[in-house]
């Protein structure tokens, strides 16, 4: 897994992002820093607790569609492919293949749920 992460200014400089509380923004950055090379992670609550954020911060990221949660407890950073691109020979594929199969990549590079799939918070 890569040790460096990038953030696209088109996402983090948007009014939608900047209107969120600083604690919610911090949670987004910390989750993004710890996600695997395809934007998935299975311990968002651990990160949330470690940096002192509330459940409301997580709920706001979900409501504003910055993260996509799955029933399994795994989340994915919606704009991961806009933020980060890795060469194929340097990428470690995600182990969350079931969750990945529920997603499609939009034309703009953002993940979204396939229409017949449901995610829950």
């Amino acid at each position: 897994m890569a040790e460096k992460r990038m953030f696209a200014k088109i996402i983090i400089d948007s009014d939608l992002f900047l209107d969120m509380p600083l604690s919610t923004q911090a949670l987004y950055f910390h989750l993004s820093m710890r996600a695997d090379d395809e934007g998935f992670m299975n311990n968002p609550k651990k990160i949330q607790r470690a940096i002192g954020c509330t459940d409301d911060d997580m709920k706001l990221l979900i409501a504003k569609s910055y993260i996509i949660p799955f029933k399994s407890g795994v989340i994915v950073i919606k704009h991961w492919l806009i933020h980060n691109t890795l060469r194929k020979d340097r990428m470690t594929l995600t182990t969350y293949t079931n969750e990945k199969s529920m997603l499609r990549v939009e034309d703009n590079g953002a993940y979204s749920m396939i229409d017949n799939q449901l995610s829950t918070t």
Side-chain angles (χ1 to χ4, degrees), residues 7 12 17 24-34 61:
F7 293 95
I12 63 168
F17 186 82
T24 307
Q25 293 177 37
L27 180 58
Y28 180 77
F29 286 121
H30 280 273
L31 293 172
S32 297
M33 290 301 296
R34 290 169 178 83
L61 287 175

Side-chain angles (χ1 to χ4, degrees), residues 79-94:
H79 303 104
W80 183 262
L81 299 173
I82 297 170
H83 292 310
N84 292 282
T85 55
L86 289 173
R87 291 186 351 212
K88 297 287 183 201
D89 64 328
R90 295 186 181 247
M91 180 182 287
T92 302
L93 297 177
T94 190

Side-chain angles (χ1 to χ4, degrees), residues 20 24 55-69 75 119-121:
M20 293 189 300
T24 307
D55 287 339
D56 287 341
D57 292 312
M58 187 71 73
K59 289 176 186 174
L60 189 54
L61 287 175
I62 294 167
K64 300 280 187 180
S65 297
Y66 283 97
I67 61 173
I68 300 171
I75 66 162
S119 66
T120 61
T121 56

Side-chain angles (χ1 to χ4, degrees), residues 16 22 41 44 48 59 63 83 91:
L16 184 64
L22 291 177
M41 68 176 330
Q48 174 189 326
K59 289 176 186 174
H83 292 310
M91 180 182 287

